[in-house]
Amino acid sequence: MAKKKNELWEWIKALLIAVLLAVVIRYFLFAPIVVDGLSMMPTLHDQDRMIVNKFSYTIGEPERFDIIVFHAPENKDYIKRVIGLPGETIEYKDDTLYVNGKAYEEDYLDENKQEVIDGPLTEPLKITVPEGELFVMGDNRRFSKDSRHIGTIPMEKVLGKTKVIYWPLEDVSIIK
């Protein structure tokens, strides 16, 4: 009888440890997210399922072109691409990104640029990103609600970085 009681206690301990590990991983390290909408096309598709790395920015800083998840003003989580870092001046002229006057290639926009026949993909703009904030945009520039509409994103609203698509199976990949 004591052996069965001891075995039951071992199972309960193992189950509690597994639940505790799952909670720690889910809330502090990695979380699943579902892409909702077409604002990141063609890089991400509606209903793609991804993993958010929540600790990436506790040990490092965001980099230009990272794909991040953040709390948007409408109490929703958005997925967008980092275009401008704190203190930088961002400018778009003739569909070209300039950061502090230096031109940058945005290869991920090539497919969308080929489809546009009536004007630029990205309307001209110029903005200086406040300290402690990020300027973000969706890859589907004409159909993205991003920093052009909701303003820059405070770093404390950023949940983390994402680049792993795990579902649907035919789309499983790591975004470059």
Side-chain angles (χ1 to χ4, degrees), residues 103-168:
Y104 281 81
E105 289 288 321
E106 294 179 284
D107 298 336
Y108 52 86
L109 295 179
D110 289 347
E111 187 177 325
N112 285 348
K113 284 181 180 178
Q114 291 172 3
E115 294 173 3
V116 173
I117 55 174
D118 60 339
L121 180 64
T122 308
E123 293 295 321
L125 71 90
K126 187 171 185 176
I127 184 172
T128 299
V129 183
E131 287 301 325
E133 301 196 5
L134 301 170
F135 186 85
V136 299
M137 295 176 82
D139 291 356
N140 193 357
R141 296 292 162 81
R142 289 189 163 186
F143 303 100
S144 175
K145 189 172 185 181
D146 49 40
S147 285
R148 297 171 292 175
H149 309 96
I150 62 174
T152 54
I153 308 304
M155 276 302 297
E156 57 269 9
K157 298 283 186 183
V158 176
L159 292 175
K161 160 165 112 169
T162 185
K163 60 181 174 181
V164 177
I165 300 172
Y166 70 88
W167 191 263

Side-chain angles (χ1 to χ4, degrees), residues 14-75:
L15 187 61
L16 287 173
I17 290 170
V19 168
L20 182 64
L21 278 172
V23 167
V24 167
I25 289 169
R26 168 68 172 84
Y27 288 99
F28 298 107
L29 303 176
F30 301 100
I33 191 162
V34 178
V35 176
D36 183 18
L38 305 174
S39 72
M40 285 297 292
M41 288 284 291
T43 308
L44 305 175
H45 301 96
D46 187 35
Q47 300 305 303
D48 277 352
R49 281 157 173 67
M50 303 185 74
I51 300 290
V52 179
N53 179 339
K54 289 183 158 188
F55 69 90
S56 57
Y57 297 139
T58 57
I59 58 174
E61 296 291 321
E63 296 179 18
R64 185 172 342 286
F65 306 132
D66 281 357
I67 297 175
I68 64 168
V69 177
F70 61 93
H71 295 304
E74 302 83 23
N75 293 322

